[in-house]
Amino acid sequence: MKEDLSLVLDGRPVLEFQPAVDLADGRLLGFEALVRWDHPSRGYIPPNILIPWAEANDHIIDLNAWVLADACRQAAPWPVGIQLSVNCSPVQLRQGQASRAAEAALEASGLDPDRLTIEVTETTVADASTGADLRALSQFGVHLAVDDVGTSWSTLENLRRFDIETAKIDRAFITGLEPHEGMNRAIVDAIVHVAQSLGMTTVAEGIETASQVATLRDFGADIGQGYFFAKPLAAQDADTLAASDPRARFALVGDMVEPSTSLVQPRPLRLLSNEACGAEAQTPSAEVG
């Protein structure tokens, strides 16, 4: 069904933050910033509708610049080690605007570039017209991640051309990551091992079950995101979680555990108790980005 978003700019953009979790020990590593549009009559317009509309109507550069600026401002007070990732449109990159927006956002917020990861799609990496801006982002210390890996295998060859540090596995492969789905298991296993051979960190998106977590850990995937851990959080709730001391840890398997802080969201976080957090595993974790 085609969405009529002619009134989409009534209202305001809103950021939510999806936790990124270390699959080795459950520690919180950072957040991915996700934009929604809070429309006065339509409610929240999700990214899968908002972003294509913004690209088609020449609003994407301004929208993405706002996302970068607000996300960096939000993340700047988080403790050192809590990372931020932000999605970038190929339109920005083709016009040389992504590096400019990122540089302006970092300068205004004071966020260390080493704590910011810019996520781009597989097709963006394969697009020759985006190369200059991708290199510009790397040159001033921002990390690069490729989103939805697995939908276009040709991208793996292109990863050598840029300083891509993180491969995010397409959620479609994670959704089908069950014992009877042999093809999906083989694809995910292959992506993890190819990424490791290239010295890259792997992130699995869309994790919803303990079985998926167990399989991804067996394969050696580094980081997980998805409703198994938490739905995207409002900015205030992300701040609370980021400030947890000791560092917040999520349950990788087993029973749900209520969070020690009161976070307003549709589903409880799969956080370990404070006692469990105090006895952290000694396994080294992979950084987001």
Side-chain angles (χ1 to χ4, degrees), residues 82-246:
I82 300 295
Q83 304 291 114
L84 169 70
S85 63
V86 178
N87 291 278
C88 178
S89 166
V91 177
Q92 271 186 305
L93 290 160
R94 293 189 194 108
Q95 298 185 25
Q97 294 294 323
S99 58
R100 295 177 188 175
E103 189 171 19
L106 291 167
E107 182 177 354
S109 65
L111 182 70
D112 187 335
D114 189 54
R115 293 177 58 197
L116 175 62
T117 294
I118 298 294
E119 297 187 11
V120 299
T121 63
E122 280 194 301
T123 53
T124 298
V125 176
D127 185 344
S129 66
T130 65
D133 216 28
L134 286 172
R135 293 187 184 91
L137 285 166
S138 293
Q139 286 171 0
F140 61 81
V142 169
H143 302 284
L144 297 177
V146 174
D147 208 357
D148 302 332
V149 169
T151 57
S152 175
W153 285 93
S154 62
T155 301
L156 293 175
E157 180 66 25
N158 292 319
L159 297 180
R160 301 178 182 179
R161 298 167 48 211
F162 305 103
D163 294 326
I164 305 293
E165 301 175 44
T166 302
K168 300 192 73 173
I169 304 169
D170 186 80
R171 67 180 61 246
F173 298 118
I174 306 302
T175 301
L177 197 62
E178 300 299 338
H180 63 282
E181 296 285 351
M183 182 61 72
N184 282 332
R185 291 171 67 87
I187 290 173
V188 173
D189 191 20
I191 292 172
V192 171
H193 284 87
V194 169
Q196 288 176 341
S197 72
L198 296 174
M200 299 172 64
T201 297
T202 51
V203 180
E205 299 182 283
I207 299 175
E208 296 184 354
T209 69
S211 173
Q212 291 167 355
V213 172
T215 300
L216 289 163
R217 295 181 76 192
D218 287 343
F219 289 165
D222 299 301
I223 298 167
Q225 293 178 231
Y227 284 12
F228 177 81
F229 303 113
K231 291 186 176 182
L233 304 177
Q236 183 177 357
D237 295 336
D239 287 346
T240 301
L241 190 62
S244 299
D245 186 17

Side-chain angles (χ1 to χ4, degrees), residues 5 8 13-15 33-37 45-67 86-92 121:
L5 297 181
V8 73
V14 176
L15 289 183
L34 302 170
V35 64
R36 287 87 167 88
W37 195 276
I45 297 172
N48 64 318
I49 295 174
L50 175 62
I51 300 303
W53 182 92
E55 289 179 339
N57 290 274
D58 297 326
H59 293 296
I60 192 63
I61 290 178
D62 289 341
L63 178 62
N64 276 3
W66 178 88
V67 170
V86 178
N87 291 278
C88 178
S89 166
V91 177
Q92 271 186 305
T121 63

